[in-house]
Amino acid sequence: MDKIKQKDFTDPVKSATSPISQQLLSLCESSTDPWGIKDVDSYYMYGNKAYLELLNLLSNFNIEGRLDSEMPHPISEFSSESRQQDRQAQESQKKVSVLDIHPYGREKIIQPYIFDKLPFYDSNGNCIGSIFHAKKLQFYSPMNCVHDQL
Protein backbone atom coordinates (compact mmCIF):
# COMPACT_ATOMS: atom_id res chain seq x y z
CA MET A 1 0.00 0.00 0.00
CA ASP A 2 1.33 3.44 -0.92
CA LYS A 3 2.17 5.70 1.94
CA ILE A 4 0.31 9.02 2.01
CA LYS A 5 2.60 11.82 0.91
CA GLN A 6 2.40 14.85 3.14
CA LYS A 7 3.61 18.29 2.27
CA ASP A 8 6.46 19.31 4.53
CA PHE A 9 5.40 22.20 6.76
CA THR A 10 7.32 23.74 9.58
CA ASP A 11 5.24 23.85 12.75
CA PRO A 12 3.54 27.29 12.52
CA VAL A 13 3.35 27.63 16.28
CA LYS A 14 7.13 27.23 16.73
CA SER A 15 8.49 28.71 13.50
CA ALA A 16 9.68 32.29 13.17
CA THR A 17 9.42 31.99 9.37
CA SER A 18 5.81 30.86 9.35
CA PRO A 19 3.42 32.92 7.21
CA ILE A 20 0.94 32.68 10.10
CA SER A 21 1.37 35.58 12.50
CA GLN A 22 1.68 34.98 16.22
CA GLN A 23 -1.37 37.21 16.78
CA LEU A 24 -3.52 35.09 14.47
CA LEU A 25 -2.28 31.87 16.08
CA SER A 26 -3.10 33.25 19.52
CA LEU A 27 -6.61 34.16 18.38
CA CYS A 28 -7.23 30.71 16.90
CA GLU A 29 -5.66 28.85 19.82
CA SER A 30 -7.77 30.69 22.38
CA SER A 31 -11.01 30.30 20.42
CA THR A 32 -13.55 27.61 21.23
CA ASP A 33 -14.67 27.76 17.59
CA PRO A 34 -12.98 25.62 14.94
CA TRP A 35 -10.35 27.48 12.85
CA GLY A 36 -7.99 26.28 10.15
CA ILE A 37 -5.62 27.54 7.49
CA LYS A 38 -4.75 25.89 4.17
CA ASP A 39 -2.20 26.76 1.52
CA VAL A 40 -3.09 27.52 -2.14
CA ASP A 41 -3.15 23.78 -2.89
CA SER A 42 -5.54 23.11 0.05
CA TYR A 43 -2.94 21.42 2.23
CA TYR A 44 -3.52 22.17 5.89
CA MET A 45 -1.06 24.60 7.40
CA TYR A 46 -2.91 24.76 10.72
CA GLY A 47 -5.97 23.53 12.59
CA ASN A 48 -6.81 24.52 16.15
CA LYS A 49 -7.82 22.18 18.98
CA ALA A 50 -11.53 22.92 18.45
CA TYR A 51 -11.25 21.86 14.79
CA LEU A 52 -9.51 18.62 15.74
CA GLU A 53 -12.25 17.96 18.31
CA LEU A 54 -14.93 18.70 15.71
CA LEU A 55 -13.43 15.99 13.48
CA ASN A 56 -13.02 13.70 16.51
CA LEU A 57 -9.23 13.60 16.08
CA LEU A 58 -6.75 13.26 18.91
CA SER A 59 -5.25 16.55 20.08
CA ASN A 60 -1.79 15.38 18.97
CA PHE A 61 -2.99 14.47 15.45
CA ASN A 62 -0.72 16.23 12.95
CA ILE A 63 -3.02 17.94 10.47
CA GLU A 64 -0.28 20.04 8.82
CA GLY A 65 0.62 18.95 5.31
CA ARG A 66 -2.52 16.88 4.77
CA LEU A 67 -5.44 17.28 2.40
CA ASP A 68 -9.10 16.84 3.35
CA SER A 69 -9.01 13.56 1.42
CA GLU A 70 -6.45 12.29 3.96
CA MET A 71 -8.57 13.03 7.03
CA PRO A 72 -9.97 10.03 8.92
CA HIS A 73 -13.41 11.66 8.89
CA PRO A 74 -16.38 11.73 6.45
CA ILE A 75 -15.21 15.18 5.18
CA SER A 76 -12.66 13.22 3.13
CA GLU A 77 -15.45 12.13 0.78
CA PHE A 78 -16.09 15.77 -0.17
CA SER A 79 -12.49 16.88 -0.58
CA SER A 80 -12.88 17.96 -4.22
CA GLU A 81 -15.79 20.23 -3.29
CA SER A 82 -13.79 21.68 -0.40
CA ARG A 83 -10.86 22.42 -2.73
CA GLN A 84 -13.22 24.19 -5.15
CA GLN A 85 -14.53 26.33 -2.29
CA ASP A 86 -10.96 27.17 -1.23
CA ARG A 87 -10.16 28.22 -4.83
CA GLN A 88 -13.33 30.30 -5.00
CA ALA A 89 -12.38 32.25 -1.85
CA GLN A 90 -8.81 32.74 -3.09
CA GLU A 91 -9.73 33.80 -6.63
CA SER A 92 -12.68 36.02 -5.72
CA GLN A 93 -10.82 37.45 -2.71
CA LYS A 94 -14.12 37.28 -0.85
CA LYS A 95 -15.69 35.17 1.86
CA VAL A 96 -17.35 31.94 0.78
CA SER A 97 -19.85 30.46 3.25
CA VAL A 98 -20.58 26.75 3.14
CA LEU A 99 -23.10 24.62 5.01
CA ASP A 100 -21.55 21.28 6.01
CA ILE A 101 -23.61 18.55 7.63
CA HIS A 102 -21.58 15.63 8.93
CA PRO A 103 -21.26 13.48 12.04
CA TYR A 104 -19.16 15.77 14.22
CA GLY A 105 -17.55 15.48 17.64
CA ARG A 106 -16.80 12.52 19.85
CA GLU A 107 -20.47 11.50 19.76
CA LYS A 108 -20.45 11.59 15.93
CA ILE A 109 -23.80 13.37 15.87
CA ILE A 110 -24.92 14.60 12.46
CA GLN A 111 -25.10 18.37 12.81
CA PRO A 112 -24.88 21.47 10.61
CA TYR A 113 -21.94 23.87 10.66
CA ILE A 114 -21.40 27.02 8.64
CA PHE A 115 -17.82 27.27 7.39
CA ASP A 116 -16.72 30.75 6.36
CA LYS A 117 -13.70 30.51 4.06
CA LEU A 118 -11.64 33.61 3.33
CA PRO A 119 -8.47 34.27 1.35
CA PHE A 120 -5.32 34.15 3.48
CA TYR A 121 -2.59 36.68 2.72
CA ASP A 122 1.10 36.92 3.56
CA SER A 123 2.73 40.09 4.91
CA ASN A 124 3.23 41.36 1.32
CA GLY A 125 -0.47 41.09 0.47
CA ASN A 126 -0.12 37.96 -1.68
CA CYS A 127 -2.86 35.35 -1.37
CA ILE A 128 -1.13 32.23 -0.07
CA GLY A 129 -4.16 30.14 0.81
CA SER A 130 -7.41 30.24 2.70
CA ILE A 131 -8.46 30.54 6.32
CA PHE A 132 -11.71 29.14 7.66
CA HIS A 133 -13.88 29.52 10.72
CA ALA A 134 -16.74 27.18 11.62
CA LYS A 135 -19.81 27.86 13.71
CA LYS A 136 -22.55 25.42 14.64
CA LEU A 137 -25.82 26.38 12.98
CA GLN A 138 -28.52 27.05 15.56
CA PHE A 139 -32.16 26.36 14.82
CA TYR A 140 -34.97 28.25 16.49
CA SER A 141 -38.64 27.46 16.27
CA PRO A 142 -41.49 29.97 16.62
CA MET A 143 -42.14 28.39 20.01
CA ASN A 144 -38.69 29.56 21.17
CA CYS A 145 -39.80 33.12 20.45
CA VAL A 146 -43.19 32.68 22.14
CA HIS A 147 -41.55 31.28 25.25
CA ASP A 148 -38.67 33.76 25.09
CA GLN A 149 -36.08 31.01 24.78
CA LEU A 150 -33.70 32.77 22.44
Side-chain angles (χ1 to χ4, degrees), residues 88-101:
Q88 185 181 359
Q90 293 164 16
E91 291 171 5
S92 70
Q93 297 187 358
K94 295 181 180 175
K95 176 176 77 172
V96 173
S97 295
V98 180
L99 173 63
D100 277 355
I101 303 171

Side-chain angles (χ1 to χ4, degrees), residues 21-86:
S21 74
Q22 210 45 54
Q23 293 89 348
L24 181 57
L25 282 173
S26 293
L27 168 81
C28 294
E29 288 294 315
S30 65
S31 178
T32 57
D33 290 340
W35 285 87
I37 301 172
K38 297 179 183 180
D39 72 5
V40 292
D41 297 317
S42 294
Y43 284 90
Y44 284 95
M45 296 169 63
Y46 171 80
N48 72 350
K49 182 180 175 184
Y51 185 60
L52 296 179
E53 289 173 358
L54 184 70
L55 299 184
N56 193 30
L57 301 173
L58 298 175
S59 61
N60 64 349
F61 183 84
N62 187 9
I63 199 169
E64 284 86 20
R66 296 180 187 262
L67 295 166
D68 283 325
S69 61
E70 300 167 342
M71 293 293 111
H73 186 272
I75 65 165
S76 64
E77 298 173 35
F78 301 93
S79 62
S80 63
E81 289 85 352
S82 181
R83 289 179 88 161
Q84 288 174 349
Q85 296 155 3
D86 295 341

Side-chain angles (χ1 to χ4, degrees), residues 68-141:
D68 283 325
S69 61
E70 300 167 342
M71 293 293 111
H73 186 272
I75 65 165
S76 64
E77 298 173 35
F78 301 93
S79 62
S80 63
E81 289 85 352
S82 181
R83 289 179 88 161
Q84 288 174 349
Q85 296 155 3
D86 295 341
R87 288 303 84 58
Q88 185 181 359
Q90 293 164 16
E91 291 171 5
S92 70
Q93 297 187 358
K94 295 181 180 175
K95 176 176 77 172
V96 173
S97 295
V98 180
L99 173 63
D100 277 355
I101 303 171
H102 292 290
Y104 286 121
R106 187 178 312 149
E107 299 82 18
K108 298 181 182 175
I109 298 170
I110 295 176
Q111 44 194 327
Y113 274 79
I114 296 289
F115 280 77
D116 288 329
K117 298 182 175 194
L118 302 112
F120 181 63
Y121 301 97
D122 66 12
S123 59
N124 296 321
N126 300 311
C127 183
I128 59 169
S130 57
I131 182 169
F132 64 85
H133 171 253
K135 196 79 169 154
K136 186 174 179 181
L137 188 60
Q138 300 295 323
F139 291 101
Y140 299 103
S141 74

